[in-house]
């Protein structure tokens, strides 16, 4: 029952079990996020965006790397926005962070705003992945980079590893080739993939022309 209730709240956390899911995500994704961020150059004057900010841990990590820039976080879940604001209270008070409730399909930002955009374990839930990637492309600066981070990755060695989660949530694990292909179709270039063999993790960086 506990597993079922937690999984139900993976896409859009709400209520008690949503709070538990957010807590689990902050803890469970921290090492994955650190590993992925090591593959992305983040300068101290950058403007950054974290899509699907969840409990706010990635926003916090980005704030530590950015000096006089700014970090924005967006999430579709009202509860996630609330929890991210709470975790990043000091960053918000000093003007280093701003958190908004919004969908990746319609980002509330002007064109060419961000130097880097991150999305940790959220791509599976995007409603229209190709067009959503184009929307992300719109708000990236020329030369800006997108970082997509995945734990749920299909592999030949373990083809059924994620079957239970996929069925429960109605989502699909990703493949390296599939992510590269959709990024190319969305207009990105200089796509690079990084895998951690011991965990099966995958992160992908892609650049706006």
């Amino acid at each position: 029952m506990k597993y079922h209730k937690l999984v139900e709240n993976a896409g859009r956390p709400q209520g008690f079990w949503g709070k538990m899911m957010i807590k689990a995500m902050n803890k469970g994704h921290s090492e994955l996020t650190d590993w992925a961020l090591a593959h992305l150059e983040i300068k101290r004057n950058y403007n950054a965006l974290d899509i699907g900010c969840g409990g706010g841990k990635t926003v916090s990590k980005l704030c530590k790397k950015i000096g006089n820039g700014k970090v924005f976080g967006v999430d579709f879940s009202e509860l996630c926005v609330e929890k991210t604001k709470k975790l990043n209270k000091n960053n918000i008070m000093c003007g280093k962070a701003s958190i908004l409730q919004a969908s990746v399909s319609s980002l509330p930002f002007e064109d060419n705003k961000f130097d880097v955009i991150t999305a940790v374990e959220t791509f599976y839930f995007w409603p229209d992945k190709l067009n959503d990637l184009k929307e992300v492309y719109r708000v990236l600066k020329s030369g800006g980079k997108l970082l997509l981070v995945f734990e749920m990755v299909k592999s030949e060695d373990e083809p059924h590893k994620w079957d239970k989660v996929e069925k429960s949530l109605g989502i699909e694990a990703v493949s390296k080739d599939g992510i590269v292909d959709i990024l190319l179709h969305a207009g990105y270039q200089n796509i690079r993939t990084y895998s951690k063999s011991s965990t099966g993790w995958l992160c992908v960086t892609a650049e706006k022309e």
Side-chain angles (χ1 to χ4, degrees), residues 2 4 20 41 59 64 70 112 117 123-124 148 153 177 202:
K2 180 179 179 181
H4 179 69
M20 294 300 100
E41 181 184 22
V59 169
K64 289 178 180 178
K70 189 165 183 177
N112 309 307
I117 296 177
F123 181 80
Y124 325 104
L148 298 175
V153 183
D177 290 344
L202 170 70

Side-chain angles (χ1 to χ4, degrees), residues 70-201:
K70 189 165 183 177
V71 181
F72 290 79
V74 297
D75 203 289
F76 195 52
S77 163
E78 183 178 353
L79 181 59
C80 284
V81 169
E82 176 189 326
K83 292 298 183 182
T84 298
K85 285 182 176 180
K86 184 176 180 180
L87 183 67
N88 289 276
K89 180 181 177 180
N90 291 337
N91 289 321
I92 293 169
M93 287 179 63
C94 70
K96 186 177 281 191
S98 180
I99 313 301
L100 304 168
Q101 185 175 6
S103 168
V104 65
S105 300
S106 182
L107 294 168
F109 306 109
E110 66 270 24
D111 296 356
N112 309 307
K113 180 175 179 64
F114 296 104
D115 300 282
V116 295
I117 296 177
T118 58
V120 180
E121 281 287 273
T122 64
F123 181 80
Y124 325 104
F125 301 101
W126 292 10
D128 186 355
K129 293 178 175 59
L130 178 60
N131 285 318
D132 294 342
L133 282 170
K134 291 179 180 179
E135 172 68 353
V136 173
Y137 189 94
R138 177 185 69 78
V139 300
L140 263 180
K141 291 180 180 179
S142 179
K145 287 189 176 180
L146 168 65
L147 173 71
L148 298 175
V149 187
F150 306 98
E151 183 178 14
M152 290 177 53
V153 183
K154 295 177 182 177
S155 70
E156 293 181 1
D157 295 336
E158 297 180 282
H160 303 294
K161 180 179 180 179
W162 301 104
D163 284 1
K164 185 177 180 180
V165 178
E166 289 176 311
K167 185 176 180 180
S168 297
L169 293 174
I171 61 174
E172 292 184 5
V174 303
S175 69
K176 185 187 297 185
D177 290 344
I179 290 298
V180 170
D181 184 64
I182 196 170
L183 284 166
L184 287 170
H185 278 84
Y188 293 83
Q189 62 178 16
N190 295 334
I191 300 166
R192 292 181 171 85
T193 63
Y194 306 90
S195 299
K196 189 172 182 179
S197 58
S198 61
T199 59
W201 294 344

Side-chain angles (χ1 to χ4, degrees), residues 14-43:
Q14 55 187 336
F16 172 79
W17 288 106
K19 291 178 182 178
M20 294 300 100
M21 188 63 194
I22 290 170
K23 185 177 181 180
M25 287 190 295
N26 269 351
K27 183 178 180 180
H29 295 161
S30 185
E31 186 179 349
L32 167 66
T33 304
D34 288 340
W35 170 78
L37 288 176
H39 298 94
L40 185 68
E41 181 184 22
I42 301 174
K43 295 183 179 179

